[in-house]
Amino acid sequence: MASNFKTIPIIDISPLLKKSDDPTMSEDKGVLEVCNLLDRACKEAGFFYVKGHGIPDSLINAVKDVTRDFFDLPYDEKNKIKLSAVTGYRGYQRIGENITLGVPDMHEAIDCYREVTPGMYGALGKSLEGSNMWYLFWFRPAALMVAKPRPCWVRTLLIYQKEMYIYLLFHRAMNLYMDKCDNVDFRPSNPSNFKPLMEEYLGLLKDLSRRIMQGISIALSGSPNMFEGERAGDPFWVMRIIGYPALSDSTNAMKLDNDIGCGAHTDYGLLTLVNQDDDITALQVRNRSGEWISAVPIPGTFVCNIGDMLKILSNGLYESTLHRVINSSPKYRVSVAFFLEPNFDAAIEPLECCVQHTGGVAKLGRAVYGEHLVRKVLTNFVM
Ligand SMILES: N=C(N)NCCCC[C@H](N)C(=O)O
Ligand SMILES: O=C(O)CCC(=O)C(=O)O
Ligand SMILES: [Fe+2]
């Protein structure tokens, strides 16, 4: 239900954050003002900037710096944490590996997901089983061999599932071991603070996005905790660490054929928070008449947008707006997108309060979030 918006609103959410632990928050005047602004933004654009979010600028910038450091590494180094089916689709994807609308995207990225342990979500979660790859392991190939198909006599002993289990345990043990060994020879120094920095950031963004969801609950005339419990009380999350080559980057032959950093798409979950480079305008948002409106960087803010699951929950009152990225600047652009999602196994359907606000009929069908995500992930890559 997006409108013909020309600009993306900026919302100071500090009054909402101040009251997020207060059970009577929905009676607070300051909170209600923020919720009104959220409601308008979610109806009109499905996009807004948030300021007054409390995440220090120094951390926001350090996350982008470490991202740039990673993508500056030679390709062979980056590929040591290569994304594949075996890693649960976590890790590094080179330029052109992610596909949108059938076209290779001109970005490279590290995809991270909440850890999925073997059997955690049964068959639904199988393809995403794994934990994130924060280190460039020189002994990772050895770990991968544990999970690779073996000669027949071994295969009869170790069926794929067992191999996977061993691999995941090994991977986790390596992570624990690496955490303990600061500055030991084999520990890559590139970038040395990658994991602790990203994990600190993740922790804060999970918390922040859940608090914004409280505001959205109130905006939808529900209780502040409408998204807790079975819907998103144990939320899944996704983080994409992304780099977009500069227009003039002649090292990238594919760039000649396609200048789209990321093709037009909607996000899959509830709410996305994008931390983008301050000096390059590249993210574009589509309004109802099909015009592309730039989400010009505003330092110190996050660009926030609605995902497919919140569109369903709101019975279409809020739009998961199409957006794309085109980096036509002569500089390499980085962004880090955090996605708050529902519980992995949540069955998502229009909320009663939203059905009432939209003519009394459920316009959108039910979806199991994990199925939606897995369907997307499995069609996003050529491998
Ligand atoms: N989790 C998110 N939003 N990922 C977006 C990735 C880029 C779009 C993807 N190839 C697609 O076609 O959906
Ligand atoms: O890089 C950006 O600004 C946005 C990225 C994005 O839309 C996504 O990864 O879903
Ligand atoms: Fe997106």
Side-chain angles (χ1 to χ4, degrees), residues 126-358:
K126 224 101 251 62
S127 39
L128 282 167
E129 284 176 358
S131 51
N132 294 313
M133 298 194 289
W134 301 113
Y135 299 114
L136 306 174
F137 297 125
W138 61 262
F139 51 104
R140 243 187 77 75
L144 283 172
M145 273 163 58
V146 178
K148 267 195 181 155
R150 301 301 201 90
C152 298
W153 66 273
V154 183
R155 271 206 80 71
T156 51
L157 297 173
L158 291 174
I159 54 169
Y160 179 75
Q161 230 171 330
K162 290 254 168 55
E163 290 175 354
M164 197 62 200
Y165 194 75
I166 292 167
Y167 165 70
L168 288 167
L169 281 178
F170 189 60
H171 194 265
R172 185 184 262 191
M174 280 200 298
N175 263 305
L176 285 173
Y177 185 51
M178 299 290 258
D179 279 348
K180 296 253 179 299
C181 308
D182 235 2
N183 297 325
V184 178
D185 271 339
F186 60 74
R187 170 144 181 193
S189 54
N190 266 325
S192 62
N193 55 342
F194 203 44
K195 184 180 183 194
L197 190 75
M198 288 302 186
E199 287 192 334
E200 182 192 355
Y201 185 71
L202 264 171
L204 293 174
L205 264 75
K206 271 183 256 178
D207 190 56
L208 171 63
S209 54
R210 284 177 87 166
R211 288 169 195 253
I212 300 174
M213 287 307 293
Q214 285 187 313
I216 291 179
S217 305
I218 299 170
L220 289 170
S221 49
S223 86
N225 300 322
M226 185 162 66
F227 296 109
E228 294 301 314
E230 284 182 3
R231 291 185 188 108
D234 182 24
F236 199 68
W237 56 260
V238 181
M239 183 165 71
R240 307 197 68 225
I241 300 165
I242 318 170
Y244 301 87
L247 188 63
S248 57
D249 192 345
S250 55
T251 57
N252 169 21
M254 283 168 97
K255 191 86 185 143
L256 297 173
D257 305 330
N258 175 25
D259 286 339
I260 310 284
C262 185
H265 66 279
T266 59
D267 292 342
Y268 317 148
L270 295 172
L271 193 68
T272 306
L273 274 74
V274 179
N275 171 3
Q276 61 171 337
D277 252 345
D278 282 343
D279 52 354
I280 302 171
T281 299
L283 174 60
Q284 303 176 347
V285 184
R286 209 182 73 157
N287 74 11
R288 204 207 315 236
S289 22
E291 292 167 296
W292 290 100
I293 307 300
S294 288
V296 177
I298 303 178
T301 66
F302 291 99
V303 178
C304 222
N305 64 284
I306 304 301
D308 299 335
M309 294 301 116
L310 187 48
K311 176 179 177 159
I312 297 179
L313 287 159
S314 69
N315 201 26
L317 202 56
Y318 294 172
E319 189 61 60
S320 54
T321 312
L322 272 174
H323 53 284
R324 67 181 185 187
V325 180
I326 301 179
N327 179 18
S328 47
S329 95
K331 278 167 76 174
Y332 190 93
R333 174 183 186 261
V334 298
S335 71
V336 178
F338 171 81
F339 305 87
L340 179 76
E341 316 278 281
N343 293 358
F344 194 81
D345 50 6
I348 297 297
E349 56 194 346
L351 295 160
E352 197 41 49
C353 59
C354 297
V355 173
Q356 277 167 24
H357 275 89
T358 47

Side-chain angles (χ1 to χ4, degrees), residues 93 97-103 105 107 111 113 238-240 242 244 261-269 272 305 308 323 337 339 341 369 373 376-377 379-381:
Q93 61 209 257
E97 217 171 324
N98 205 310
I99 306 286
T100 304
L101 303 172
V103 179
D105 288 323
H107 72 252
D111 281 357
Y113 297 92
V238 181
M239 183 165 71
R240 307 197 68 225
I242 318 170
Y244 301 87
C262 185
H265 66 279
T266 59
D267 292 342
Y268 317 148
T272 306
N305 64 284
D308 299 335
H323 53 284
F339 305 87
E341 316 278 281
Y369 163 70
L373 176 67
K376 292 282 189 178
V377 170
T379 50
N380 271 346
F381 298 102

